[in-house]
Amino acid sequence: MWQFHPYSLLLFLAFGFNLVLGLFVLKSFRLDLVKYLLILVIGSMMWTGFYGLDFIYISSDLHRTFVALLYIGVSLANLGMVLVSLEFTQNKHLLTKKFWVLLTIQPLLTLAVCVLDPIFKTLTLDTYLVNINGRIQWIQVTNTGGFVVSYLLSFFWSVFVGYLLIKGIFISKSTERRRYLLILMSYLFIWITATLHKLGVRPLPGINVTAVMSTMQVILIFFAIGYYRMFDLVPLVRGEIVDELDEAVVILDFNNRIVDWNMAAEHLFCTASKNSTLLSYKYFFASAPGIISKLDHLSDKRTLTKWIWEKDEKYWEVTAKQIRDANRKKIGMVLVFRDSTEQRNLEKQMSNVNRELMVANGTKDRFLSIISHDLRGPLAGIKMLLKVLNEDMKKKEDALAGMTQSLVDATESVFSLLENLLEWSKLQRGQEEFRPHYYRLDNIVRECLELFVLSASNKGITLEVEIPSHAMVFCDDRMIITVIRNLVSNALKFSHNNGKILINALDVGDDWQVSVIDSGVGMSKAIIDKLFKVGEVIKSTGTGGETGNGIGLLLCNEFVSVNGGILFADSDGVSGSRFVFTIPKKMKEEIIS
C-alpha cells in the first residue's frame, strides 16, 4: 500500500544529497580517497533510500527486505567511513591484509544476518504496524544479531576512527585540525542521535534520525575536503599551467571543432573572440592554410604526429596528439605549437661552423701532408749528403769538418721534427692503424739503436742494453720503435760527452717495464710536470747545442697509451733523467682470461 509520508521526503532529500555528492566526485575517481568516499556515499544512500521506501510503501512481504538492505547500507557506510579516515589522516599504511580481513567482518556478518533473518529472525525479533499522527508505519524490535552488526561493531570502528582523528588533531597544523574536528563532529552527531533514539528521546516520533545524520556526516566530510578545493585542484592547476605556457595550445573535439585554446594561441592566430568555440578548425586557422591542409590529411591511426610549420619567416614545431577514451575511441585532439626558429637558426650556425671546421681541418691536414711528404724527401737527401761530406772532410780539414758537423746536427734535428710531425698528424687524423703482434723486445731496441751509432760515437757516449732475450711483448713494433727512437734521441741530446745511456727491461707481472736512463743534465720538477701535456711549451737545449720542443714526448705518450702501457719520467735535476714505459706481454683478452 502506497501512502504519503513526510518522513520519506526527509529521507529522500538526504538520499538526493548523497547522490549529487557521489556524482560530483566521480570525475576524480583515480584518487583513493574518492573511492573510499563513494563507498561511504553508497552506504548512506542505501540507508536513507530503503528507509524512505519503508515509509511510503507498506508491505508485509517487502518490509524485512527493506530493513535488511537498510542494515547493509549502514555496514557499507561504516566501512567507507573507516577507509576515508585512514586515508584522510595519512594512515593508509595500516591497510594491511590482516586489517582488510577485520574490515570485512562487519559487512559479511551483516549480510549473513540479513540472509538468515526470514528464517531465524536474526535481524528483528518482531515487526508490527502502528498509527502515528494518522499515518501507518512499521515498528521493529531489534534482535541480538541486528544490535551486534549495527551498533556494537560500528561503535568499535568509531572508537578506532575517533582515536585516529584525535591523534591527527594533536600532531597536525592548525589548518588541518579544523578539518579533523569537522569529521570528528560528524561522528559525534551520529552517535549522540543513535544513543538518544535508544533512550527514547526522538524529535520526530517513529523515525530514527540517525539515517539523516549519516547524510549530514557525508556533507561535513565533503565540506572539510572541499574547503581546500581538493577535487577541482588538478583541473585548475592544469588550466593555469596551460595558460602560462609559451607554446600555443589548441584543443579540438572528436568532430574537429575548436573547444578551447590558451593565450599564446590567441596571439599566434590573432583570435581573441570566444565565438570560435565549437566552430570548425577551418574557421580558427583561417590565417594558416598550411595547418588546415595538414589537418585535412591527418591519419586517425597515428596517435602522435609532428611537423614543421613556417609563418612570417618563423618556424613552429607542431605536435598533434589524439586523445582517446578507455575503448581507444577518439574523443578529441590537442595541438601544441612550439617556436623552433631559434633552434633552427642555431642548427644552421652549427652546420656552418662544422663546415668551416672541416675546411680548416682539411687545410691543416694538407699542410701537414706537405710538410711530411714534400720536405721529408729533400731533407733526407741533404742529410745523407752531409754525412758523406762530413766523413770526407774529417780527413782533410778539421775546421771545415766542424762546419759540416753543425749542418748534420741541424738537419738531424729538423728531420726528427718532421718525422714526429708525420706520425702525430697520422695519429690525429686516425690514419695510424694499430697492428699489434708478438715481438722480442731486445730485437726492437737493438734495431732502433742502430740509428744512433754515429751520433753516440761523435759524443763518445756508450749505449748499453740490458734486456732478457726471453722478453716477449704484444705491441705495434712501428710505434714502439718511434717511442724508443725519441727517448734515446733525447738521452743523447742531454748527455755529457763520454757519458753512458742504459736501456733495460724489468718483468712487472703482466707487463715489461722499459727504462731509458742517461747521466746527463737532468730535469726540474716543473719541467717534468709539463712533459706530457698538450699545449705546454717546452724549449730546451742539449749539451751540444741541440734544440728540443717536446713534440716527440707527446707522440711517445700517445703511442704507449695506444699499446696499453703508461709513460712517466723522473729526475733529481742534476745527475741525469729516467724515462719509463710499460708494454703488455699479452693481449688484453688473454690477460683477462
Side-chain angles (χ1 to χ4, degrees):
M1 179 184 69
W2 291 94
Q3 68 171 349
F4 171 76
H5 203 297
Y7 291 170
S8 63
L9 292 179
L10 178 62
L11 291 167
F12 287 147
L13 180 63
F15 175 89
F17 270 113
N18 284 296
L19 179 61
V20 170
L21 293 174
L23 293 174
F24 174 73
V25 297
L26 274 177
K27 63 180 180 180
S28 302
F29 186 73
R30 63 184 178 277
L31 301 174
D32 285 340
L33 179 60
V34 170
K35 296 174 184 177
Y36 301 153
L37 275 172
L38 288 174
I39 296 175
L40 173 60
V41 167
I42 291 171
S44 185
M45 286 172 62
M46 291 181 66
W47 192 353
T48 54
F50 286 109
Y51 199 11
L53 280 174
D54 200 42
F55 277 101
I56 64 172
Y57 187 70
I58 305 300
S59 169
S60 57
D61 296 328
L62 293 177
H63 171 65
R64 285 187 176 274
T65 303
F66 290 159
V67 172
L69 292 172
L70 179 157
Y71 272 89
I72 291 174
V74 172
S75 177
L76 287 177
N78 192 64
L79 173 64
M81 186 59 213
V82 175
L83 292 172
V84 167
S85 301
L86 286 170
E87 180 75 21
F88 201 73
T89 56
Q90 298 179 353
N91 286 293
K92 191 177 178 181
H93 61 280
L94 296 177
L95 285 173
T96 60
K97 291 182 179 179
K98 293 181 180 179
F99 198 89
W100 275 109
V101 171
L102 287 175
L103 283 175
T104 56
I105 289 176
Q106 183 180 11
L108 291 177
L109 280 178
T110 304
L111 183 62
V113 167
C114 292
V115 170
L116 296 174
D117 181 63
I119 304 173
F120 301 104
K121 304 291 189 295
T122 52
L123 190 61
T124 56
L125 281 173
D126 189 20
T127 60
Y128 54 91
L129 291 170
V130 297
N131 190 307
I132 300 177
N133 297 329
R135 295 183 179 88
I136 300 173
Q137 62 187 64
W138 287 100
I139 298 294
Q140 58 266 349
V141 180
T142 306
N143 201 342
T144 305
F147 178 79
V148 169
V149 298
S150 180
Y151 284 92
L152 191 61
L153 291 178
S154 295
F155 179 76
F156 167 77
W157 285 117
S158 297
V159 171
F160 174 73
V161 172
Y163 163 75
L164 293 180
L165 292 171
I166 293 172
K167 180 182 176 182
I169 290 172
F170 281 106
I171 66 173
S172 61
K173 298 179 181 179
S174 59
T175 53
E176 294 292 322
R177 289 174 193 157
R178 298 191 190 101
R179 295 201 290 176
Y180 292 160
L181 282 171
L182 280 174
I183 298 179
L184 191 59
M185 286 172 56
S186 69
Y187 248 84
L188 292 175
F189 286 163
I190 286 183
W191 279 104
I192 290 172
T193 306
T195 304
L196 291 175
H197 182 79
K198 280 293 180 183
L199 295 174
V201 180
R202 301 170 184 176
L204 298 176
I207 182 174
N208 189 344
V209 193
T210 311
V212 179
M213 296 310 297
S214 73
T215 302
M216 291 299 299
Q217 180 187 44
V218 173
I219 293 173
L220 282 174
I221 292 173
F222 270 80
F223 179 76
I225 300 173
Y227 180 77
Y228 294 89
R229 306 190 73 180
M230 185 202 78
F231 297 114
D232 55 354
L233 177 61
V234 173
L236 278 174
V237 170
R238 286 183 176 173
E240 291 290 337
I241 291 174
V242 170
D243 280 335
E244 293 298 325
L245 286 176
D246 292 330
E247 290 87 356
V249 179
V250 181
I251 304 174
L252 294 79
D253 66 4
F254 63 94
N255 285 324
N256 286 333
R257 297 176 300 182
I258 301 299
V259 177
D260 199 6
W261 59 89
N262 64 355
M263 295 297 295
E266 285 190 7
H267 296 308
L268 179 59
F269 298 105
C270 304
T271 303
S273 174
K274 289 298 179 182
N275 293 329
S276 301
T277 304
L278 295 182
L279 292 179
S280 171
Y281 65 86
K282 295 182 179 180
Y283 177 84
F284 188 88
F285 297 118
S287 60
I291 299 294
I292 296 174
S293 176
K294 187 69 179 180
L295 292 176
D296 285 339
H297 299 88
L298 204 61
S299 173
D300 286 339
K301 296 181 179 180
R302 298 187 61 181
T303 304
L304 187 68
T305 307
K306 292 186 177 182
W307 71 90
I308 299 296
W309 170 56
E310 184 179 358
K311 178 186 179 184
D312 300 333
E313 298 182 355
K314 296 189 74 174
Y315 295 91
W316 302 84
E317 183 185 86
V318 186
T319 302
K321 169 71 175 178
Q322 293 192 20
I323 310 301
R324 302 180 185 275
D325 60 14
N327 298 319
R328 302 297 299 162
K329 182 180 179 182
K330 178 183 173 182
I331 59 175
M333 181 166 56
V334 178
L335 297 176
V336 180
F337 299 80
R338 186 175 66 85
D339 189 353
S340 61
T341 306
E342 185 175 352
Q343 180 181 342
R344 288 178 67 90
N345 291 336
L346 285 173
E347 290 174 354
K348 288 181 180 179
Q349 291 177 11
M350 290 177 63
S351 178
N352 293 334
V353 170
N354 287 335
R355 194 178 300 110
E356 292 174 0
L357 284 173
M358 290 178 64
V359 172
N361 278 331
T363 303
K364 178 203 73 173
D365 292 343
R366 187 176 180 186
F367 173 72
L368 291 173
S369 179
I370 291 172
I371 290 177
S372 60
H373 292 289
D374 293 358
L375 293 181
R376 187 172 183 272
L379 279 173
I382 294 172
K383 173 185 170 184
M384 293 302 299
L385 289 173
L386 285 174
K387 281 187 176 181
V388 174
L389 181 61
N390 184 54
E391 291 297 322
D392 292 340
M393 285 300 176
K394 282 183 179 180
K395 301 174 183 178
K396 297 179 181 179
E397 299 184 18
D398 291 339
L400 189 58
M403 294 174 61
T404 56
Q405 181 61 49
S406 298
L407 286 172
V408 170
D409 293 340
T411 52
E412 284 280 6
S413 177
V414 174
F415 189 77
S416 177
L417 172 62
L418 287 173
E419 286 282 355
N420 288 333
L421 282 174
L422 172 61
E423 297 295 339
W424 180 263
S425 67
K426 286 182 179 179
L427 193 63
Q428 296 303 311
R429 288 180 290 168
Q431 295 181 353
E432 188 67 51
E433 295 183 9
F434 179 53
R435 297 191 294 268
H437 295 285
Y438 288 100
Y439 297 98
R440 282 183 54 174
L441 181 58
D442 60 335
N443 287 344
I444 294 177
V445 173
R446 294 184 190 283
E447 178 184 346
C448 187
L449 292 184
E450 291 177 0
L451 302 172
F452 300 100
V453 173
L454 180 59
S455 300
S457 176
N458 289 336
K459 295 184 73 170
I461 295 174
T462 304
L463 299 175
E464 293 186 4
V465 179
E466 295 181 359
I467 298 177
S469 59
H470 64 273
M472 297 294 295
V473 291
F474 184 76
C475 65
D476 186 323
D477 63 329
R478 297 171 301 106
M479 294 184 179
I480 299 303
I481 287 174
T482 301
V483 172
I484 297 174
R485 175 172 58 79
N486 274 279
L487 295 182
V488 173
S489 176
N490 286 343
L492 284 169
K493 190 183 301 180
F494 296 104
S495 291
H496 300 291
N497 290 342
N498 303 317
K500 182 179 74 171
I501 296 175
L502 172 65
I503 301 98
N504 66 13
L506 295 176
D507 188 341
V508 289
D510 293 330
D511 302 317
W512 282 99
Q513 181 177 283
V514 182
S515 300
V516 179
I517 307 169
D518 66 68
S519 55
V521 296
M523 297 176 292
S524 66
K525 187 177 184 305
I527 293 295
I528 293 176
D529 292 339
K530 295 180 180 180
L531 285 179
F532 307 111
K533 294 181 180 179
V534 179
E536 294 287 352
V537 179
I538 303 174
K539 294 294 183 182
S540 55
T541 304
T543 55
E546 306 93 334
T547 59
N549 49 38
I551 293 178
L553 289 178
L554 292 177
L555 183 64
C556 291
N557 194 38
E558 291 277 0
F559 278 170
V560 169
S561 178
V562 168
N563 280 272
I566 57 172
L567 172 64
F568 60 92
D570 63 68
S571 174
D572 60 5
V574 178
S575 57
S577 303
R578 184 170 74 106
F579 285 84
V580 184
F581 66 93
T582 58
I583 314 175
K585 294 179 181 178
K586 300 179 180 179
M587 294 176 62
K588 293 295 181 182
E589 291 79 1
E590 294 181 19
I591 294 173
I592 293 172
S593 62

